[in-house]
Amino acid sequence: MILAGATALGGLCLSSQQVRAQQTATADALAIIVHRSNPVDELSSAQLKRIYMFDMQNWPHGRKITVMVREKGQPERTEAIRLICGIAEAEYERHVLLQTFRGSLGPGPRAIQSVSAMLRFVFNVPGAIGYIPVDQIDGSVKVLRIDGLLPTEPAYPLRRSQRVGRDD
Amino acid sequence: MRSRPAISLALAFALVWLSPSRLAAQAHDEQHDAASDQPSGVMLRAFGAVEWAGSQQKETPNSFGLGQFALFATSNLHERVSVLAEVVMEASSSDTRVVTDLERLQITFRFSDFLNLSAGRYHTGIGYYNAAFHHGAYFEIPIGRPRVFAFEDEGGVLPVHDVGVTARGIVPGTGATLRYVAEVGNGRDFATIDDSEAEEAHGDPNGAKSTNLGLSFRPAGSGNLELGGSYYRDTVPRSGSPAVDLHIGAAYAVYRTPAVELMAEWLRLQYSGGGAPTLVNNAGYAQASRAWGKWRPYYRFDRLGMDTATPFIAPVGSYQSNIVGLRVDPMQWVGLKTQYEHTDEPSQRGIDAIRAQLVFVF
């Protein structure tokens, strides 16, 4: 149950004050968000990559995963693809088109124009997964732990200042 | 190439006609109504190629040409149901006509990561290459497919296309390391080998269904390494002679990342039945490439061994080629390939040729 003025973080409820304090310190983190009814609380970095590379297209409880990305030309899109998949945006687009061309998936990820649209989409679509800056989190969605860590924790892996190795 | 111009052209134009309005609707959805998970419209892509080739053979002057123009469309009909179509138009080699083919048309039901069922016309899952690149020259590093994977209407030896049903997915209990594909189709009619691409779409001449089973293994922690194999069998009718049992085994190892591509496949084609001695042909290729920024040098060794007594496809003959080339991608969705080829064929040994191909996607 989510209380008024609180945010669901990895199944935990924090007060708005606590969230604000932690957001200040970790504003460059990218939060992975899903629908509040999604029973999944945590993903490993490898599982998250498999979802965004379309190697995994269903949640463990059987619901279809709807992958969301920001629209082309937005800096958050490039950063998120680099952090989650470890490849450049152009390579990701080539990979998605090849998977689509092979018939391994339908038209690919849904492109979303803004943070508010991303939150609204995840709020409405039980199978959706998306990402937003940690300071944009509200109580309408669930934030997943990645490798056991919340975006507010120092060792959280999805930080935009973080350098990740290329997948080659 | 066998053409059914009326149907194929109508489909191609329908795809083009449909796409702008549907894409506009999709864009509207994404920008102004992102709060639903309705079917996401039609995604349309086109793959094109312009080529140039010259060789030491005086009877074959150097020449520009058009490669295949592939129109690809896919759409979600439902959260778990999608369709795809691939229509290829290309200039006829014999005259100036443009001929068209419906290369793929599939509807897929995605029940889970463990089971995806498709029905329609598809590229058979023999080995790796055939179902990996389809007609998208842009995705291939060298110019052209390995000889053993040549399309039926280009003198190919394999049943590259088939009509039927397929199942594919992850083998339960293996994480994502083991995947399968199982196919049942009409099989290829080998009545002719140079103009028979769509024959299986007209029906199965003998009722014996082709079957193909493939497995691929992606070891955990090995990056993008994939090891796999497949086994295909069919009974192929032959006019005036007993039917031929066709068995095709394939094994491959592939390592592909954005920067590195290492691929090797070996295929064994066996023909038996009717009291005739069993004949076996072997074929395969190995290729490697490495990208440094926009530049990517590559090499391919390509071989097809053909017994001259092989039913149906003996005229294709044996083939061996060494290819060295360079691909440059000056911008996204555009690639320029140039390669030198040294080829041995039945009619002539040691043919030297240079080819260039400009590939693009839009």
Side-chain angles (χ1 to χ4, degrees):
Chain A
M1 184 176 175
I2 306 299
L3 301 174
T7 297
L9 278 173
L12 303 174
C13 289
L14 303 178
S15 71
S16 300
Q17 215 171 9
Q18 286 174 302
V19 170
R20 258 196 305 280
Q22 291 182 324
Q23 283 172 346
T24 306
T26 60
D28 62 342
L30 209 59
I32 302 299
I33 56 174
V34 296
H35 194 270
R36 279 165 51 176
S37 70
N38 194 325
V40 173
D41 292 327
E42 178 180 347
L43 291 172
S44 67
S45 295
Q47 286 173 320
L48 183 62
K49 179 178 177 179
R50 283 180 55 205
I51 288 172
Y52 267 84
M53 298 293 274
F54 294 94
D55 284 335
M56 177 177 166
Q57 298 187 26
N58 293 276
W59 292 106
H61 55 286
R63 189 175 284 283
K64 185 93 172 66
I65 301 174
T66 302
V67 174
M68 294 153 58
V69 294
R70 296 293 299 276
E71 285 189 334
K72 275 191 88 166
Q74 296 175 332
E76 283 170 18
R77 175 186 170 101
T78 306
E79 285 288 293
I81 289 170
R82 183 181 63 81
L83 286 169
I84 295 170
C85 303
I87 56 178
E89 184 181 2
E91 289 159 357
Y92 181 74
E93 289 173 358
R94 190 158 42 222
H95 171 83
V96 169
L97 182 58
L98 181 57
Q99 294 303 313
T100 306
F101 191 56
R102 288 175 177 177
S104 301
L105 65 146
R110 293 290 296 261
I112 301 293
Q113 193 182 34
S114 64
V115 169
S116 60
M118 184 81 84
L119 283 164
R120 194 152 46 96
F121 194 104
V122 173
F123 175 76
N124 281 285
V125 179
I129 184 168
Y131 53 81
I132 57 172
V134 71
D135 56 2
Q136 302 290 312
I137 295 171
D138 66 22
S140 65
V141 296
K142 179 198 274 191
V143 176
L144 295 184
R145 291 176 183 269
I146 304 299
D147 295 334
L149 299 168
L150 288 169
T152 50
E153 296 181 73
Y156 184 72
L158 304 180
R159 291 188 185 287
R160 281 174 281 179
S161 57
Q162 194 125 343
R163 301 304 302 175
V164 293
R166 283 169 56 94
D167 187 20
D168 59 4
Chain B
M1 170 176 282
R2 175 62 53 90
S3 174
R4 294 181 305 289
I7 297 173
S8 301
L9 275 175
L11 180 59
F13 284 117
L15 292 174
V16 172
W17 179 78
L18 276 171
S19 59
S21 58
R22 300 295 296 272
L23 287 174
Q26 182 184 2
H28 180 271
D29 273 358
E30 290 164 356
Q31 289 173 11
H32 304 294
D33 186 16
S36 68
D37 192 22
Q38 297 302 307
S40 52
V42 173
M43 175 185 141
L44 180 69
R45 289 287 184 276
F47 299 79
V50 181
E51 301 174 346
W52 177 88
S55 82
Q56 64 179 142
Q57 294 176 296
K58 289 177 182 168
E59 64 275 21
T60 309
N62 76 82
S63 175
F64 289 103
L66 289 178
Q68 292 188 333
F69 176 67
L71 269 177
F72 173 79
T74 184
S75 180
N76 283 334
L77 300 181
H78 176 267
E79 187 184 60
R80 294 188 178 277
V81 183
S82 64
V83 291
L84 71 80
E86 187 181 14
V87 177
V88 166
M89 290 176 262
E90 59 187 327
S92 168
S93 56
S94 56
D95 52 41
T96 56
R97 287 178 307 142
V98 171
V99 293
T100 60
D101 258 315
L102 178 57
E103 303 289 351
R104 286 188 291 160
L105 179 64
Q106 280 183 276
I107 180 167
T108 300
F109 300 85
R110 304 179 193 282
F111 295 108
S112 71
D113 286 337
F114 308 114
L115 180 62
N116 294 285
L117 278 180
S118 301
R121 189 167 199 246
Y122 55 90
H123 279 179
T124 51
I126 296 174
Y128 176 84
Y129 204 99
N130 192 43
F133 300 108
H134 303 285
H135 295 263
Y138 173 82
F139 292 119
E140 298 174 286
I141 300 301
I143 301 172
R145 294 160 71 91
R147 186 66 185 85
V148 69
F149 287 109
F151 296 117
E152 294 95 332
D153 58 350
E154 295 170 354
V157 300
L158 292 178
V160 168
H161 298 85
D162 210 342
V163 173
V165 294
T166 71
R168 63 176 63 234
I170 296 169
V171 177
T174 63
T177 59
L178 196 60
R179 293 162 193 264
Y180 72 92
V181 58
E183 301 165 335
V184 179
N186 286 340
R188 180 178 173 184
D189 184 350
F190 283 85
T192 58
I193 62 164
D194 58 351
D195 196 21
S196 57
E197 185 164 289
E199 289 301 322
E200 86 289 341
H202 299 307
D204 193 334
N206 63 352
K209 293 290 166 279
S210 67
T211 53
N212 184 55
L213 180 64
L215 284 173
S216 64
F217 177 56
R218 300 177 189 177
S222 65
N224 296 322
L225 176 65
E226 181 174 334
L227 309 170
S230 66
Y231 176 73
Y232 174 99
R233 79 160 303 280
D234 191 17
T235 300
V236 185
R238 187 163 49 160
S239 61
S241 303
V244 173
D245 288 327
L246 171 61
H247 303 261
I248 302 170
Y252 65 85
V254 171
Y255 180 79
R256 296 186 80 223
T257 72
V260 177
E261 182 183 79
L262 300 170
M263 299 169 58
E265 285 195 72
W266 171 79
L267 291 89
R268 182 179 190 271
L269 293 74
Q270 177 182 305
Y271 305 81
S272 60
T278 297
L279 290 170
V280 174
N281 295 319
N282 289 284
Y285 71 91
Q287 71 181 51
S289 72
R290 172 73 164 92
W292 282 277
K294 297 173 178 177
W295 303 87
R296 180 187 287 268
Y298 58 85
Y299 169 77
R300 175 191 281 169
F301 172 75
D302 190 3
R303 183 179 183 278
L304 170 64
M306 182 67 62
D307 190 310
T308 53
T310 305
F312 312 119
I313 58 172
V316 170
S318 295
Y319 172 94
Q320 183 168 306
S321 180
N322 284 280
I323 296 171
V324 179
L326 179 67
R327 173 176 175 144
V328 57
D329 289 76
M331 62 197 76
Q332 193 176 15
W333 308 126
V334 177
L336 175 62
K337 314 172 195 177
T338 53
Q339 66 188 38
Y340 162 77
E341 305 174 0
H342 183 80
T343 304
D344 293 327
E345 291 182 343
S347 57
Q348 193 172 347
R349 294 185 64 81
I351 306 166
D352 293 312
I354 295 176
R355 297 172 69 189
Q357 184 185 54
L358 186 61
V359 290
F360 46 92
V361 182
F362 60 98

